[in-house]
Amino acid sequence: MLRKKECIAMLLAGGQGSRLSVLTKYVAKPAVPFGGKYRIIDFPLSNCINSGIDTVGVLTQYQPLELNTYIGNGQPWDLDRNNGGVAILPPYMTSTRGDWYKGTANAVCQNINFIETYDPEYVLVLSGDHVYKMNYDWMLKEHKAAEADCTIAVINVPIEEASRFGIMNTHEDGTIYEFEEKPKNPKSTKASMGVYIFNWKVLKKYLIEDDANPESKNDFGHNIIPKMLADGCKMLAYEYKGYWKDVGTIDSLWESNMDVLNPAQSGLVLTDPNWRIYAKNPSQPPQYVADTAVLNHSMVAEGCKVYGTVENSIIFYDVEIKKDAVVRNSIIMPGAVIESGAVIEHTIIAEGVHVKCGAHVGAEPGPDGRKITVLGSGVTVSEGATVEAGSIVDAEL
Amino acid sequence: MKETTGIILAQEKCDALRELTQPRTAGSVPFGGRYRLIDFTLSNMVNSGIRTVGVVTRNNYYSLMDHLGTGKEWDLNRKKGGLTILPPSLDVNMKRNTGDGKIEALYGVLDYIRHCGNKYILLADANVIAQVNYQELLEYHIEKNAYMTAVYQKDVFDSKRFANNTFIQVADDGRIIDVAVHQGIQLHSDMLLGVYIIERELLEFLICQCVAHDKLDFERDILQGMASDLDIYAYPISGYAQKIDSVDTFYQVHRDMLNPDVQEAMFGQGKVLTKVRDEVPTYYSESSCVKNSMIADGCTIEGTVENSVIFRSVHIGPGAVVRNSVIMQDCEIGANSVVEYCITDKLVTISEGRHMIGAETYPIVVAKGSKI
């Protein structure tokens, strides 16, 4: 029998993230590299351990290999525990049934047994595709103080963007009276962050009911939350102030990486020693910056060899940028090689890409707005080739 | 190699490293941007397939224990074997502190040696920077049917190193025929690197015999005294190798490291393992200007850096100039200061506008935690 835990986390990491296109062809969205050395899932995992939550179930389904290998026994996040720690929870067969995870609620529902082994009072439900630093313990304290059945973290968004989010309409005391998914005429600017704390006994009942309903989409946002509201459960909105970004699209992934470069303006500060974002550390020597290199407002990780020019960019570990190559306003993921004379502008380059001499990838955005170029994992751009701005490349050129 | 136990002697005292070994053992001297000296020997052992390693310490071993931990960074947190840190044991029969201390140290850990269960023992000092395949050393040792095999570096003519090192004369068949400990003039040019392989039972016998006769100097009493009677063979190291035995060599190796070929030879394929710190990648601001330098993660570079090695979490302020220097972890180089030919130990602060200028032949060593 495992020792009782007050609160455990269930981290939804099974989504494909199809809007990230070629970047999620071989990996699940939470495993997409971010910010020079991280992956997106490092944020919720680090938040958990920094908030004192040491038991995390990671629900995986889509392309789980790389994600599973990455999480391993949870050691980089200090989640290798005898009692608790990280557990990877894929869908499984039983003697009577066996299903893929049909929706977010169904994924948690299929793991009721896992949750019950820890006999928790509260369950924290997280998604693996947001970049933010949040103390879940503060949220749990409010949840307990208000004696709520469910607390939903919300963030204030500009009113003109509110119709892209799930919006919580609340009373003065923070209790939610209405939930609207992507409303045309939003009444409030409190957008759900996809972070929920439930009283486990209450959630368990709703999960079982929801599972028995063949009409349901088995989704927290679509089914569980509206049903609980309708039944008069006490639902609290917890207002989070700080940096939060859904990095579900190419544009937002690029913007969020640029926010890492400008912590003072964006508020995304990764250097805080009291709230470290942990990641698996590659075994790489320090970076080498040659005589010919020019580095300007950029972040460069270990093991890189820089001989060319890098401006306003994020370079992940083990990248080689040869002489006379220019990288501008771009994100270059691990293991890529940029040969001499190549020019990379406004581009996201995935792992292991090889850009040969003199190739030209992407361009600065024209008056028609932002057009980010993306080279998928393992792509080779041949010598002197041009990759048009805005193209998304998956096969050999 | 699984039947070999590695024993690293991290205790070697080294006065020539000046302030760098004041707060720590030679093995835990920071090196190469993010490593400590012992990482090279330890990684070589692990990469050669050794799964049981004991690290013998003498004093000031806190930083070493902190660095090694359970050995997980080297995959040495094993159920069977793995990493064992062997702190000094105060044995009443042995408090003489004579000789090079190696025999005393080994006698102190005789129980560990006896019970490690492996056939061979690989002894190594922690201050050699090289990529060595110990598997090949073991094969050579077995092929020669040697009593013991010592690793050496060929053709060392640097007269500064004669006094602190042991040189050997090697016969054509690889046998050691003469040993010169601390030679005053150049007798031989082949320098020992403090790495030996020997069968466990023979080592136990040698140690006990030496202690029984109050002979406590490994090089004089074992190598020199027995070279004529026993088949002690020498194994030449190939490729880039440096023994860090003084501030000069420490500084020179850091300069060598700025050569991409040497980098490849030293670190090739991320083979050197070390304790990680969860740092962010290094940030270079608009005002930064970096030429021919090696820089670790977690730094913020706002000034000029040339021909230097910068360790983790260093801040180089705007207008500051760092040239031909080695700046260790967590140093703060203030705005508009100038640092040339310096080795600043961890947590050093150079205040705004200060100038610290040493010389190529005598780099200034700034002790850990100093504020200038």
Side-chain angles (χ1 to χ4, degrees):
Chain A
M1 181 67 191
L2 289 157
R3 238 176 307 147
K4 180 181 170 71
K5 298 272 176 187
E6 185 189 32
C7 180
I8 72 168
M10 297 297 276
L11 175 50
L12 301 160
Q16 178 183 355
S18 53
R19 287 171 303 160
L20 285 176
S21 162
V22 291
L23 294 177
T24 50
K25 191 170 176 195
Y26 305 107
V27 297
K29 182 154 76 164
V32 169
F34 179 85
K37 71 173 281 196
Y38 308 96
R39 291 177 190 256
I40 296 166
I41 197 168
D42 290 332
F43 287 84
L45 284 178
S46 302
N47 286 339
C48 279
I49 195 71
N50 288 333
S51 306
I53 293 170
D54 64 7
T55 307
V56 185
V58 180
L59 302 146
T60 65
Q61 176 156 285
Y62 173 81
Q63 284 285 9
L65 278 183
E66 200 164 320
L67 188 61
N68 292 357
T69 312
Y70 184 68
I71 293 171
N73 68 351
Q75 181 265 322
W77 306 272
D78 213 8
L79 285 170
D80 50 337
R81 301 298 174 99
N82 287 334
N83 180 30
V86 71
I88 291 170
L89 304 170
Y92 58 92
M93 299 285 292
T94 68
S95 57
T96 51
R97 58 182 280 189
D99 274 313
W100 294 106
Y101 293 151
K102 285 171 285 185
T104 51
N106 179 254
V108 176
C109 183
Q110 288 197 36
N111 289 288
I112 285 178
N113 287 342
F114 168 80
I115 298 172
E116 295 270 271
T117 53
Y118 295 101
D119 188 22
E121 296 297 315
Y122 310 100
V123 171
L124 171 68
V125 176
L126 304 168
S127 56
D129 41 16
H130 300 146
V131 170
Y132 64 117
K133 290 166 46 175
M134 177 175 179
N135 194 331
Y136 304 130
D137 194 42
W138 295 348
M139 178 171 166
L140 180 61
K141 282 203 176 89
E142 291 216 358
H143 176 82
K144 285 197 276 191
E147 295 181 344
D149 295 310
C150 168
T151 299
I152 301 173
V154 295
I155 184 163
N156 263 314
V157 293
I159 185 83
E160 58 273 20
E161 285 180 32
S163 53
R164 286 174 36 220
F165 295 93
I167 294 296
M168 303 292 159
N169 300 320
T170 60
H171 297 296
E172 292 250 311
D173 65 352
T175 51
I176 301 165
Y177 65 86
E178 192 183 18
F179 168 72
E180 293 177 294
E181 181 70 27
K182 299 189 175 128
K184 286 215 173 66
N185 301 304
K187 290 177 223 147
S188 135
T189 56
K190 287 180 178 157
S192 167
M193 293 164 60
V195 175
Y196 311 100
I197 291 176
F198 293 97
N199 284 0
W200 171 236
K201 286 196 183 75
V202 178
L203 177 63
K204 188 180 165 190
K205 172 173 156 268
Y206 278 91
L207 286 177
I208 291 168
E209 273 178 31
D210 179 69
D211 194 45
N213 176 5
E215 305 289 303
S216 171
K217 286 159 93 176
N218 307 113
D219 184 273
F220 278 102
H222 279 103
N223 309 99
I224 302 285
I225 303 294
K227 184 79 175 31
M228 284 177 79
L229 264 176
D231 288 356
C233 290
K234 184 162 186 189
M235 313 283 278
L236 188 72
Y238 171 81
E239 205 173 322
Y240 163 81
K241 293 191 174 82
Y243 185 92
W244 177 84
K245 197 157 207 133
D246 180 346
V247 286
T249 64
I250 298 284
D251 280 352
S252 64
L253 181 68
W254 188 87
E255 280 165 21
S256 194
N257 271 283
M258 290 301 145
D259 288 341
V260 173
L261 269 185
N262 302 296
Q265 291 89 322
S266 69
L268 180 57
V269 181
L270 300 182
T271 47
D272 180 359
N274 297 321
W275 205 271
R276 278 253 186 266
I277 301 303
Y278 299 103
K280 200 166 178 174
N281 287 279
S283 166
Q284 293 282 345
Q287 51 201 270
Y288 176 66
V289 182
D291 272 339
T292 49
V294 177
L295 287 157
N296 192 341
H297 190 49
S298 295
M299 264 180 143
V300 183
E302 302 138 293
C304 289
K305 295 190 172 80
V306 184
Y307 291 80
T309 299
V310 179
E311 285 175 13
N312 200 35
S313 297
I314 295 218
I315 315 291
F316 282 70
Y317 49 88
D318 199 22
V319 168
E320 206 170 335
I321 296 170
K322 302 222 167 129
K323 210 178 146 195
D324 300 321
V326 178
V327 175
R328 234 179 250 127
N329 298 318
S330 295
I331 295 149
I332 304 201
M333 293 182 188
V337 178
I338 314 297
E339 300 267 12
S340 68
V343 178
I344 316 285
E345 288 178 306
H346 223 76
T347 296
I348 298 177
I349 287 185
E351 289 173 76
V353 166
H354 191 162
V355 179
K356 294 201 171 156
C357 297
H360 202 123
V361 180
E364 288 308 311
D368 53 338
R370 176 167 291 158
K371 269 196 183 148
I372 294 165
T373 314
V374 182
L375 301 185
S377 154
V379 165
T380 301
V381 179
S382 49
E383 214 171 302
T386 302
V387 178
E388 293 291 332
S391 34
I392 289 176
V393 184
D394 186 15
E396 300 246 327
L397 270 188
Chain B
M1 225 49 224
K2 262 169 41 190
E3 70 280 24
T4 305
T5 294
I7 292 194
I8 302 179
L9 297 137
Q11 53 153 12
E12 284 301 289
K13 51 185 171 191
C14 193
D15 298 335
L17 277 169
R18 308 212 299 255
E19 287 89 338
L20 296 178
T21 45
Q22 253 172 29
R24 52 175 86 88
T25 64
S28 50
V29 168
F31 179 86
R34 55 177 309 201
Y35 305 95
R36 290 182 189 262
L37 288 181
I38 197 172
D39 291 341
F40 286 79
T41 301
L42 197 51
S43 302
N44 282 333
M45 286 184 174
V46 171
N47 293 335
S48 304
I50 293 178
R51 293 290 171 262
T52 309
V53 180
V55 178
V56 186
T57 61
R58 180 145 75 189
N59 41 30
N60 264 339
Y61 49 87
Y62 160 72
S63 71
L64 191 70
M65 290 185 76
D66 176 52
H67 180 67
L68 297 175
T70 58
K72 71 168 189 275
E73 325 282 2
W74 297 268
D75 258 343
L76 285 174
N77 50 340
R78 299 271 66 90
K79 284 194 164 178
K80 194 159 174 265
L83 181 79
T84 311
I85 297 175
L86 305 162
S89 63
L90 281 178
D91 188 312
V92 280
N93 300 317
M94 301 276 302
K95 319 181 260 204
R96 260 176 247 280
N97 254 329
T98 54
D100 57 5
K102 214 172 252 178
I103 293 178
E104 273 177 284
L106 290 172
Y107 188 70
V109 299
L110 208 55
D111 263 355
Y112 174 78
I113 295 174
R114 236 171 230 155
H115 296 130
C116 69
N118 284 324
K119 187 173 181 198
Y120 297 99
I121 301 283
L122 177 70
L123 290 177
D125 289 348
N127 60 352
V128 175
I129 300 303
Q131 295 263 5
V132 201
N133 186 336
Y134 294 130
Q135 177 69 43
E136 287 167 11
L137 169 66
L138 178 63
E139 282 160 16
Y140 177 89
H141 176 78
I142 293 170
E143 179 202 313
K144 292 286 183 186
N145 198 17
Y147 190 87
M148 178 159 78
T149 302
V151 178
Y152 73 101
Q153 188 178 9
K154 275 187 174 153
D155 302 329
V156 178
F157 297 108
D158 180 358
S159 61
K160 278 189 224 153
R161 315 187 78 164
F162 292 166
N164 296 330
N165 288 290
T166 299
F167 285 72
I168 53 168
Q169 190 181 6
V170 184
D172 290 341
D173 66 347
R175 266 195 59 191
I176 296 179
I177 50 177
D178 188 36
V179 179
V181 180
H182 303 176
Q183 56 185 359
I185 52 161
Q186 190 180 341
L187 297 168
H188 310 306
S189 61
D190 294 337
M191 188 175 88
L192 286 183
L193 293 174
V195 179
Y196 308 92
I197 195 159
I198 184 169
E199 277 185 35
R200 189 191 81 229
E201 289 175 4
L202 296 179
L203 180 69
E204 270 183 62
F205 172 75
L206 272 185
I207 298 293
C208 291
Q209 199 194 26
C210 281
V211 170
H213 293 96
D214 204 19
K215 291 181 170 172
L216 299 179
D217 193 314
F218 192 86
E219 285 167 350
R220 281 187 197 280
D221 296 326
I222 294 185
L223 286 184
Q224 204 170 38
M226 300 182 186
S228 49
D229 306 332
L230 303 173
D231 288 332
I232 300 179
Y233 278 80
Y235 177 83
I237 203 165
S238 57
Y240 185 88
Q242 282 290 356
K243 184 174 170 185
I244 309 291
D245 55 3
S246 66
V247 168
D248 278 345
T249 52
F250 181 84
Y251 182 71
Q252 199 47 53
V253 175
H254 279 87
R255 295 298 298 272
D256 287 353
M257 233 163 35
L258 299 178
N259 174 341
D261 295 337
V262 175
Q263 269 169 39
E264 186 58 32
M266 261 195 223
F267 304 117
Q269 317 301 318
K271 268 186 172 169
V272 188
L273 307 165
T274 189
K275 183 185 175 187
V276 297
R277 263 174 55 135
D278 293 277
E279 289 295 348
V280 291
T282 284
Y283 174 71
Y284 298 88
S285 79
E286 278 98 346
S287 57
S288 72
C289 176
V290 181
K291 301 285 170 214
N292 190 38
S293 294
M294 233 179 158
I295 299 186
D297 47 339
C299 296
T300 305
I301 313 286
E302 298 179 274
T304 298
V305 179
E306 289 175 16
N307 310 322
S308 296
V309 176
I310 313 290
F311 285 59
R312 292 183 273 205
S313 302
V314 168
H315 177 218
I316 298 186
V321 178
V322 175
R323 270 195 203 103
N324 307 311
S325 292
V326 177
I327 309 292
M328 290 187 192
Q329 196 168 297
D330 296 317
C331 284
E332 171 76 36
I333 310 295
N336 302 315
S337 60
V338 178
V339 177
E340 291 187 35
Y341 298 107
C342 283
I343 300 170
T344 62
D345 206 328
K346 286 164 80 172
L347 294 158
V348 163
T349 306
I350 308 278
S351 308
E352 205 176 319
R354 296 281 170 217
H355 288 214
M356 285 289 287
I357 300 177
E360 169 111 52
T361 47
Y362 196 89
I364 296 176
V365 179
V366 184
K368 183 175 174 183
S370 313
K371 186 167 197 280
I372 290 161

